[in-house]
Amino acid sequence: MTRNSETPTDDDERMDFEDAIVSDSETDADERIETDGGVGTPFEVVSEYEETRRDRYRKLYDAYIYAPISIIWRDWRARIGFTIVALYLFMGTVGTLFIEPTGVTEGPALAAPFETMEYPLGTDNQGRDLLSQTVHSTSTILKMVLSGAVFTVGIGTIIGSIAGYKGGMTDTVLSSITDVFINIPGFPLVMVLGLMFDDQILGNPFAIGILLSVASWGGLARAIRSQMLTLREESFVEASQAMGIGTPTIVFKEIVPHLMPFVVINLTNAGRKVIFEAVALYYLGILPFKNLNWGSILNQAYGANAHARPDAIHWFLVPMFSIVFISVGLTLLGQSLDRVFNPRVRARHEKTTADVETEGDGETQTQDAMGV
Amino acid sequence: MVTIDWRIRRLGQAAFTVWAVITLSFALVRLMPGNMMGAMVTRLARQGINPARARELVELRMTIDPDAPLLPAYVSYVSNTLQGDLGQSVYYSRPVVDIIAEAVPWTLFVLSWAVFISFFIGISIGALMAYWEGGKLDVGLTSYAVLMGSIPFYVLAILLLIFLAYRLSWFPTGGRQPIATDPGFNLVYISGIVRHAALPVISMLVASGVASLGMRGNSIRVLGEDYLRVARLRGLSDITISTQYVARNAVLPMYTTLLISIGEMFGGSIVLEQVFQYRGVGWYMLSATHQRDYPLMMGGFMVITVAMVISLLLADLTYGYVDPRARRSQ
């Protein structure tokens, strides 16, 4: 539920980034010509070393990739979540090379799973191998998730950050648009749109991902906007403005990185939502499809009354398991990311592992007092 | 302080959304590729109705005149819609409003039970998890919540249908009321309705997973507050602290989630009602979609939207009363 999800900010990380940004601006200051020629005040002291592009990337790598990964790897949820998502990525990319696409009457109808090595997950009523169907639909679904999540998060971040930063008329207009999208129920809207554009989205998973994100960026945009309202008052923003840096640069290079943790968490939620909605739409038989995927397998199974036949239950269970398993992976990953980025949760958990820092002190005492 | 000004603005926003949706549906019907109006006329003509008559019929049913200039057509469409004239269903040959008015109570019946039961369970579990945070119970219940949150409700619905309705025959396999009983206030009929609604309601329990994680987060936040330390120092018992202090303060933010999820479940009811063949608003909207019955489809879409707008509006307008702290900050 992105609509009212909490908005964790990370004060510690922000400090790091402020340092990084300050050193950046100092490099810029090099080029300024002093009118009186003097360097007497501390305001005019410039950085002593030049920050190369490589240093910058290295810093970004440390802050965004190395540090989070090393932190979350200590958490069991993260390990499981990562493994599951990686497994699906492997299945959707390498797996499709090894497992042949299946066709009608390839095997016996409704072969039971785990009986022959030839059809490990059994077959459907037309003799199509369910393992092959699952593997091949994984890549379709992953493409939808990719485009859908990138679009939801991209549009949500862009609209939300511009609205929050600019304020005034821009904010009013963008916020009104956002509110309309928040108020429209997503699923029926996507259903209607899917019907209207069925020619354009046939056999194009990326287009379906984008279609599904039409309705879901609103909540994120609103959350980002409210974060932006506090961030734009920060001193480093004022400094950038004073230096005459352009608005787009300030918003997307200086402020948005502070929102990254929040954005990353939302990426996993958006991905899960795309899977749920896409599968539901295929299950209902609304979206057209060329190749079978988890949703259309469910649709055909329901259509063939597999729910009333005891010998056909695997036909439902195989796609269901695929959906639930990847979604567990994404949920665990999202939760562990929340743990990395949420200072309060982190502070509470540090006391169980390491020495208590001053910040977490008060909370630890409360906990002790609560007898937890 | 909540000012009158703010409430009027929020009402205006809701009205704006409704207007936007009406406009959107007009645009979709009138301007979209494939031209639905044309498609409907051709379909009727193929059934042996002469083209002029077919055109008239479509016009009547859609409440859109396909030949009128854009602006007058738009104005008449909006005014018709606002007056509650959503056109006539092509497939059922009945006014859309009648069909929907008959279906709405059934959907509301299922949804209200689903929302309240899943929230009751979610809130209780979330509070337990937070109170024993890090303990065995927390790990166990968190696994429950993550699993429930990761199962799409339709997957649970199909599983329940397979096992509880088809295999064990504990519940009816579909429909919304028992066949061959007199509708009315008799025990057989009412218990029949409840049994038909039971599986859709239980499917929505997946929402309790999401709610409990939210409640857990809120409670943990409350557990860090100073007033709890004071309460502890005053020697209040665990039970008083957990119910009067923690639960009460943590449950308040859940109120918005509750009303929002009513709106969202309206959208989700399309899938749920399809699985159980439960003839509510969602079922009719889906059937209209398959029949290309555009007036009914758009009508269903608008009703679901209005339901969502109203529940979000209620959430925003009443939140200040439920949580006095919110009133101060607005």
Side-chain angles (χ1 to χ4, degrees):
Chain A
M1 280 186 196
T2 47
R3 211 178 290 283
N4 70 331
S5 40
E6 43 198 281
T7 53
T9 48
D10 192 343
D11 288 326
D12 303 343
E13 300 235 334
R14 188 180 301 165
M15 298 305 264
D16 297 342
F17 292 125
E18 258 170 53
D19 290 346
I21 285 160
V22 166
S23 60
D24 273 0
S25 28
E26 277 167 3
T27 3
D28 290 344
D30 261 349
E31 293 155 20
R32 287 209 337 250
I33 300 155
E34 299 300 334
T35 41
D36 62 349
V39 220
T41 70
F43 296 108
E44 282 144 15
V45 175
V46 292
S47 160
E48 281 177 11
Y49 66 97
E50 200 76 19
E51 193 191 41
T52 62
R53 187 169 286 257
R54 200 168 151 187
D55 288 339
R56 202 183 150 83
Y57 284 142
R58 217 193 144 119
K59 232 181 238 174
L60 287 174
Y61 168 79
D62 278 348
Y64 285 123
I65 299 168
Y66 180 73
I69 287 182
S70 61
I71 293 173
I72 47 183
W73 197 249
R74 273 179 246 146
D75 188 27
W76 62 271
R77 296 165 220 240
R79 278 201 296 270
I80 299 175
F82 253 128
T83 316
I84 293 175
V85 172
L87 211 70
Y88 275 86
L89 285 175
F90 181 78
M91 192 157 86
T93 50
V94 184
T96 50
L97 301 177
F98 285 100
I99 293 173
E100 300 272 310
T102 180
V104 178
T105 68
E106 188 189 307
L110 289 173
F114 308 120
E115 290 199 341
T116 56
M117 277 310 288
E118 212 176 338
Y119 312 108
L121 297 179
T123 57
D124 67 11
N125 68 339
Q126 298 184 358
R128 286 172 294 194
D129 180 18
L130 279 171
L131 175 70
S132 161
Q133 288 184 29
T134 307
V135 169
H136 282 272
S137 70
T138 304
S139 66
T140 319
I141 298 278
L142 286 179
K143 283 175 197 162
M144 283 177 207
V145 171
L146 182 72
S147 73
V150 167
F151 245 77
T152 308
V153 170
I155 294 185
T157 311
I158 291 172
I159 303 254
S161 49
I162 292 176
Y165 184 78
K166 280 280 196 180
M169 201 55 207
T170 320
D171 183 25
T172 312
V173 172
L174 290 179
S175 295
S176 308
I177 298 174
T178 310
D179 284 334
V180 168
F181 277 93
I182 288 176
N183 278 288
I184 295 180
F187 191 77
L189 175 69
V190 170
M191 189 168 135
V192 171
L193 289 177
L195 195 70
M196 304 284 163
F197 293 103
D198 56 355
D199 291 339
Q200 283 83 353
I201 55 177
L202 177 65
N204 186 350
F206 292 111
I208 292 170
I210 293 169
L211 178 83
L212 291 173
S213 62
V214 162
S216 50
W217 56 268
L220 181 66
R222 188 190 260 181
I224 296 266
R225 176 180 166 273
S226 60
Q227 295 268 297
M228 198 56 138
L229 290 179
T230 55
L231 276 175
R232 75 171 180 196
E233 305 295 331
E234 298 274 332
S235 49
F236 70 90
V237 177
E238 210 177 321
S240 309
Q241 286 166 336
M243 286 191 304
I245 298 175
T247 308
T249 321
I250 297 181
V251 171
F252 292 107
K253 285 225 166 127
E254 316 233 317
I255 305 183
V256 168
H258 292 261
L259 298 172
M260 275 326 264
F262 185 59
V263 167
V264 170
I265 293 166
N266 272 280
L267 213 55
T268 59
N269 288 336
R272 204 178 61 204
K273 213 176 157 193
V274 166
I275 297 178
F276 281 15
E277 294 206 337
V279 171
L281 286 169
Y282 280 114
Y283 166 68
L284 293 178
I286 290 168
L287 292 182
F289 57 87
K290 275 182 182 158
N291 302 315
L292 287 172
N293 63 54
W294 302 334
S296 50
I297 298 172
L298 286 178
N299 174 286
Q300 299 197 341
Y302 190 92
N305 265 327
H307 48 287
R309 294 156 65 173
D311 59 333
I313 188 163
H314 64 279
W315 198 1
F316 274 116
L317 293 183
V318 170
M320 280 176 176
F321 183 77
S322 319
I323 300 159
V324 173
F325 198 53
I326 192 174
S327 149
V328 168
L330 287 172
T331 311
L332 289 175
L333 201 61
Q335 280 214 330
S336 52
L337 289 174
D338 185 49
R339 175 151 311 184
V340 186
F341 294 129
N342 190 339
R344 190 144 207 171
V345 175
R346 192 160 63 188
R348 283 176 62 81
H349 284 267
E350 260 164 12
K351 64 126 196 167
T352 53
T353 50
D355 49 327
V356 183
E357 288 174 28
T358 41
E359 196 194 346
D361 206 28
E363 277 169 319
T364 316
Q365 283 177 13
T366 322
Q367 267 197 326
D368 293 343
M370 290 296 296
V372 180
Chain B
M1 283 291 288
V2 174
T3 55
I4 299 294
D5 175 47
W6 174 78
R7 285 183 213 172
I8 290 176
R9 219 171 47 219
R10 185 63 188 78
L11 268 173
Q13 194 193 74
F16 178 74
T17 309
V18 171
W19 167 79
V21 168
I22 296 175
T23 307
L24 181 80
S25 80
F26 174 79
L28 288 173
V29 172
R30 171 93 194 211
L31 304 169
M32 273 303 132
N35 196 346
M36 302 196 295
M37 309 282 295
M40 274 169 72
V41 173
T42 337
R43 220 170 63 150
L44 286 174
R46 217 179 293 143
Q47 288 168 13
I49 302 167
N50 78 53
R53 175 82 187 118
R55 190 160 280 272
E56 243 169 67
L57 272 175
V58 169
E59 222 171 277
L60 196 74
R61 288 184 170 170
M62 296 292 293
T63 67
I64 293 184
D65 178 356
D67 296 322
L70 204 58
L71 196 64
Y74 173 67
V75 170
S76 77
Y77 180 76
V78 173
S79 76
N80 279 333
T81 308
L82 290 179
Q83 285 165 28
D85 179 6
L86 297 172
Q88 227 194 348
S89 159
V90 178
Y91 184 70
Y92 296 97
S93 294
R94 279 169 64 199
V96 169
V97 176
D98 287 2
I99 297 178
I100 289 176
E102 185 256 334
V104 161
W106 296 97
T107 301
L108 277 182
F109 176 64
V110 168
L111 287 190
S112 46
W113 279 108
V115 167
F116 288 115
I117 294 178
S118 60
F119 264 80
F120 181 74
I121 293 178
I123 283 168
S124 322
I125 289 180
L128 285 177
M129 286 195 289
Y131 202 70
W132 281 287
E133 199 213 347
K136 272 199 182 109
L137 186 76
D138 181 34
V139 174
L141 286 177
T142 305
S143 316
Y144 161 83
V146 167
L147 190 68
M148 282 310 226
S150 307
I151 297 178
F153 61 88
Y154 50 86
V155 164
L156 187 62
I158 296 174
L159 288 175
L160 291 172
L161 181 72
I162 293 175
F163 289 104
L164 298 188
Y166 279 98
R167 294 280 169 90
L168 296 170
S169 305
W170 288 357
F171 294 98
T173 53
R176 61 186 187 189
Q177 52 191 335
I179 336 158
T181 45
D182 297 329
F185 278 101
N186 58 66
L187 192 67
V188 186
Y189 184 69
I190 290 175
S191 72
I193 288 179
V194 171
R195 272 161 50 91
H196 277 81
L199 289 186
V201 169
I202 299 173
S203 317
M204 281 296 190
L205 285 189
V206 292
S208 72
V210 183
S212 63
L213 286 180
M215 179 69 184
R216 178 176 182 271
N218 289 338
S219 307
I220 288 176
R221 206 160 307 137
V222 174
L223 284 174
E225 298 287 344
D226 283 341
Y227 59 76
L228 285 189
R229 220 185 308 175
V230 175
R232 195 23 89 161
L233 291 172
R234 278 171 61 201
L236 296 178
S237 69
D238 269 3
I239 293 172
T240 315
I241 293 177
S242 59
T243 56
Q244 298 294 306
Y245 285 65
V246 183
R248 236 172 113 181
N249 285 297
V251 92
L252 290 173
M254 303 299 291
Y255 177 70
T256 339
T257 322
L258 178 88
L259 283 165
I260 287 171
S261 65
I262 295 177
E264 279 188 346
M265 281 180 180
F266 249 101
S269 69
I270 297 175
V271 194
L272 203 62
E273 290 175 1
Q274 189 272 341
V275 173
F276 294 105
Q277 296 297 310
Y278 196 89
R279 292 183 172 225
V281 178
W283 189 88
Y284 279 108
M285 191 183 162
L286 181 70
S287 131
T289 310
H290 284 307
Q291 305 292 342
R292 298 290 189 272
D293 185 348
Y294 295 110
L296 183 53
M297 188 175 101
M298 287 302 173
F301 177 54
M302 268 184 243
V303 167
I304 291 173
T305 308
V306 169
M308 180 123 169
V309 169
I310 290 176
S311 50
L312 288 174
L313 186 69
L314 274 179
D316 278 359
L317 290 186
T318 53
Y319 192 65
Y321 297 102
V322 180
D323 187 353
R325 290 173 301 183
R327 218 180 317 180
R328 244 176 290 131
S329 63
Q330 243 145 19

